[in-house]
Structures are given as C-alpha cells and as structure tokens.
Amino acid sequence: TQAAADPMSSSDAPEDGPKETSSVSQNISDADAFKILLEMKMKKRQKKPNLPSTVTELDTEDGSKVYVVGTAHFSDSSKKDVVKTIQEVQPDVVVVELCQYRVSMLKMDEKTLLKEAKEINLEKLQQAIKQNGVMSGLMQMLLLKVSAHITEQLGMAPGGEFREAFKEASKVPFCKFHLGDRPIPVTFKRAIAALSFWQKVKLAWGLCFLSDPISKDDVEKCKQKDLLEQMMAEMIGEFPDLHRTIVSERDIYLTYMLKQAAKQIELPRASETEPRKYIPAIVVGVVGMGHVPGIEKNWNSDLNIQEIMSVPPPSASSKIFKFVLKATVFGLMGYGCYRIGQRTVQFILSMPAAQSYLQKLTEIRSQH
C-alpha cells in the first residue's frame, strides 16, 4: 500500500500561465522535477521538529531517522499526535501497526466502522473460522467482542490514528505508506498454540464475561508508559506465553519493518552515467504504546523474522479442546433436534384425528 500526493493544488498555478507552464514542463526532466518537489518538501520539514511527548526518536547507522508515535487505539489525542508528527517531519515513509487483513479500516468511514465493530454475528464467526481455523477464529471473535465492548462504551471506532496517518501521508510529496504488522492469522495461531488447555478456557471465560465500564480517561492512561508497563506486568504474570506471541514477537516484527522502511533513498539520475546518490530517510511509525519499549529494546539488534512467522502444529491440548468444542456443539444440536422431534410427536398424537386413527388400529389388533 502506498500513498503519494501532488503538493501543488490547482489554486497554486499562475493565473496567466497555462501556456508558460506547459512549455516549462516540456523542457524539465523527471529528475529535475523530482529535485524541485523534494526541495519544497525539505523546506517544509522542520530541522528541530516540535514533537508530542508520545514520540520516540530512533536513528539508523546510515543517518536515517525514525519517529515512533506511541498511541492508544481509541484516543482522540493520539490522532492529533500522529497528524502533528507527520506535518512536522514530512516523512518519506509512514509505517502503521496494521497487516493486509485489517487494511479495510483505512478506507471505511467512522460511522461504518462503528456499526461494523458493534455487529458480531454468525457470518463473521464463520468467516473468522474459515480464515484462521476453529480455535484462532473463536479467539478472534472473542477479541472482537472486547473491541465492540470498548466501542460501545466510548462511541468511537478503533484505528482512528491509522486513518489519520493514511490521510496525512497522502498530503506529503513522495511519501510511501507501509503496513508494518505481522499477519493476524499467524499471530492468532501462534498465540493459541502457546497456551495450555486450561489457559485457553480461562482466557475465553474472561473475554466472554468482560463488562467493566471504560472511560476516555482510562484510554488516555494507556499512553502513560509507567502505567502501561504495570498493566503489561500483570498480563505477563497470568499469561506469559500469550504476551510473548501477541506483544514481544510483534515488537520484533514491527522493529524489522521500521528498519526496512528506514533504508536510504536513492535520488533519480539524469543519465545512466551519473553516479548514484543516496540520502537518509525520514520515517514515521504509528504503533500502540505497548510496543514502543520493545521496539527500543530491539532497535540495535540483528533481527530474523523467519522463526516468528512459522505456525506450529496444533498441540495435544488444542486437539482435545477442539474435540470437546465440536462434541459440545453437535451434542447441543442433537439434543435440540431430539427435543423438537419429541415435541412434534407429542403434538401429532394430541390431535383428534390421530387419536381416532390410533383407536381404530387398537380395535383391529384386538379383533385379531
């Protein structure tokens, strides 16, 4: 996915210059046009940007800079932080904590997303199971239920900071837009495989009966690093393997994608004989605040994402849980059919015509 926009609006063109503009455009090369637009971008780029407190600045060995905006996913102030950061630094690349399976939220309006987030139905469950398997699909639906609960409490659709990032990136000349998160089916399958049978039951139970009220103040508190670390520590204590797969592994993946985006940019050449020239890149990363400490920790490490992209085979506990789940579903369906069948028979037998017919059969049998 890529976003790029023409920085010159139609109102910027000279009033008496259509002919003059066309003659100039015929004489200018692509390389020169690129240089002119790049210079305009550099002029708008602040040397000492005034950045929000939620931004962490990271450097690469070749001089590129990465500005990581730590956000709360249901926060209005996070959206403002993202807009301000992109406007101040005029990045070459914007990377967001989304994968291709969730990219649709960038193009949907707030009203549609709000409706989608609140509606969890059988069709969505079937789609999740088809895409991710029974266990991962069910877990995804439970997490969607949590998201719907927050959405209902706050009246705000998730992913607002990513939509703002997408819009702002489109206003910056030559700005690419990258999806930086690990595919969600991989994350769910690895998370399910990491949990024991009883951990899965405990987690599912907790998510099913989540009903605590959530305020906008609670969401804003998630942007405070010390409070967030305390919440993370509580989660690690209860589900350490879940934290590793859902948070720590994605920290590594996000760090890897940010470093890939921060590679130097090659300037266009007027001819093949002209030597290649590179300039450092400016990158803005938009991620949940919970991932920022992990990205900082992994920044100077050599990262290999092959291991965290593999999906382990289902464990014995997963097979047992799957079997129990299927047996429960089919058992309930069977009992339902039995009850319906039993009531149907009772209803038919209670009808006068049926009773008369049965009486005649009894008389015939007694005569023989």
Side-chain angles (χ1 to χ4, degrees):
T1 312
Q2 180 174 326
D6 184 349
M8 302 275 291
S9 65
S10 58
S11 59
D12 294 328
E15 289 179 16
D16 57 347
K19 292 180 182 177
E20 185 184 342
T21 305
S22 62
S23 63
V24 170
S25 62
Q26 287 172 0
N27 296 328
I28 195 168
S29 67
D30 289 343
D32 288 336
F34 181 90
K35 283 175 185 174
I36 291 167
L37 290 171
L38 190 63
E39 280 172 17
M40 289 173 60
K41 179 176 175 174
M42 293 300 182
K43 282 178 184 176
K44 285 185 76 176
R45 186 178 281 173
Q46 302 295 323
K47 287 184 179 178
K48 289 186 178 179
N50 179 22
L51 299 171
S53 59
T54 51
V55 176
T56 300
E57 189 178 330
L58 301 166
D59 298 301
T60 66
E61 291 175 358
D62 55 22
S64 295
K65 285 190 179 292
V66 178
Y67 298 93
V68 183
V69 189
T71 67
H73 293 316
F74 288 84
S75 166
D76 273 327
S77 64
S78 281
K79 292 194 274 188
K80 291 172 186 173
D81 289 351
V82 169
V83 171
K84 184 173 178 60
T85 304
I86 292 174
Q87 287 176 350
E88 287 283 313
V89 305
Q90 293 289 297
D92 303 300
V93 186
V94 170
V95 181
V96 295
E97 184 199 325
L98 284 178
C99 69
Q100 65 267 35
Y101 292 91
R102 294 183 292 155
V103 73
S104 58
M105 71 161 58
L106 294 174
K107 297 174 184 177
M108 293 166 77
D109 60 82
E110 192 84 4
K111 190 179 177 182
T112 309
L113 272 163
L114 205 58
K115 187 183 173 187
E116 281 280 316
K118 287 180 181 178
E119 287 181 359
I120 297 176
N121 49 37
L122 185 63
E123 189 183 341
K124 280 189 179 179
L125 177 60
Q126 288 173 333
Q127 191 179 354
I129 289 173
K130 187 178 178 183
Q131 190 179 78
N132 304 314
V134 176
M135 288 303 306
S136 300
L138 284 170
M139 194 58 69
Q140 185 177 343
M141 290 310 294
L142 285 172
L143 289 170
L144 276 175
K145 180 185 178 294
V146 175
S147 179
H149 170 66
I150 300 170
T151 298
E152 200 167 357
Q153 293 276 318
L154 300 177
M156 185 187 300
E161 73 274 35
F162 303 137
R163 288 189 292 283
E164 289 299 323
F166 185 68
K167 287 178 198 170
E168 275 316 302
S170 69
K171 299 174 188 176
V172 179
F174 312 114
C175 182
K176 295 178 181 177
F177 189 86
H178 289 183
L179 304 176
D181 202 3
R182 181 171 67 179
I184 202 164
V186 176
T187 296
F188 276 123
K189 284 172 184 175
R190 285 184 65 84
I192 292 297
L195 294 176
S196 68
F197 173 76
W198 292 113
Q199 281 179 322
K200 287 169 190 168
V201 172
K202 190 176 181 182
L203 180 65
W205 182 265
L207 292 172
C208 277
F209 294 96
L210 179 83
S211 59
D212 294 340
I214 296 162
S215 68
K216 291 193 176 182
D217 287 338
D218 293 330
V219 171
E220 291 306 316
K221 283 176 187 174
C222 290
K223 291 167 67 184
Q224 299 170 22
K225 289 186 182 180
D226 53 346
L227 186 69
L228 197 70
E229 282 170 11
Q230 185 184 332
M231 289 162 62
M232 285 291 182
E234 288 173 12
M235 182 183 170
I236 291 166
E238 202 161 1
F239 299 104
D241 292 321
L242 196 67
H243 181 272
R244 175 176 55 79
T245 51
I246 290 184
V247 181
S248 301
E249 288 183 359
R250 285 171 62 226
D251 290 345
I252 293 168
Y253 192 92
L254 287 162
T255 308
Y256 178 84
M257 296 302 285
L258 285 167
K259 289 176 93 169
Q260 290 294 110
K263 288 183 175 177
Q264 285 193 326
I265 299 165
E266 183 183 350
L267 296 175
R269 295 178 292 165
S271 66
E272 291 294 322
T273 55
E274 189 179 327
R276 295 178 186 273
K277 290 181 183 176
Y278 297 86
I279 57 170
I282 300 292
V283 177
V284 168
V286 182
V287 304
M289 183 61 83
H291 290 293
V292 177
I295 291 169
E296 285 185 273
K297 178 186 167 187
N298 291 305
W299 189 251
N300 294 315
S301 306
D302 289 326
L303 303 173
N304 182 0
I305 61 168
Q306 293 304 315
E307 188 184 337
I308 61 169
M309 288 299 288
S310 63
V311 178
S315 63
S317 65
S318 285
K319 289 176 182 175
I320 292 167
F321 191 84
K322 191 174 178 179
F323 174 77
V324 170
L325 182 72
K326 281 187 176 179
T328 304
V329 171
F330 285 118
L332 288 169
M333 285 173 66
Y335 179 71
C337 290
Y338 164 73
R339 292 292 294 170
I340 291 167
Q342 194 180 39
R343 286 178 183 178
T344 305
V345 170
Q346 287 173 351
F347 174 71
I348 291 169
L349 291 177
S350 67
M351 293 172 71
Q355 287 179 352
S356 173
Y357 181 71
L358 285 170
Q359 191 175 357
K360 285 180 181 177
L361 279 175
T362 305
E363 290 170 3
I364 292 165
R365 286 187 67 183
S366 62
Q367 286 172 7
H368 286 284

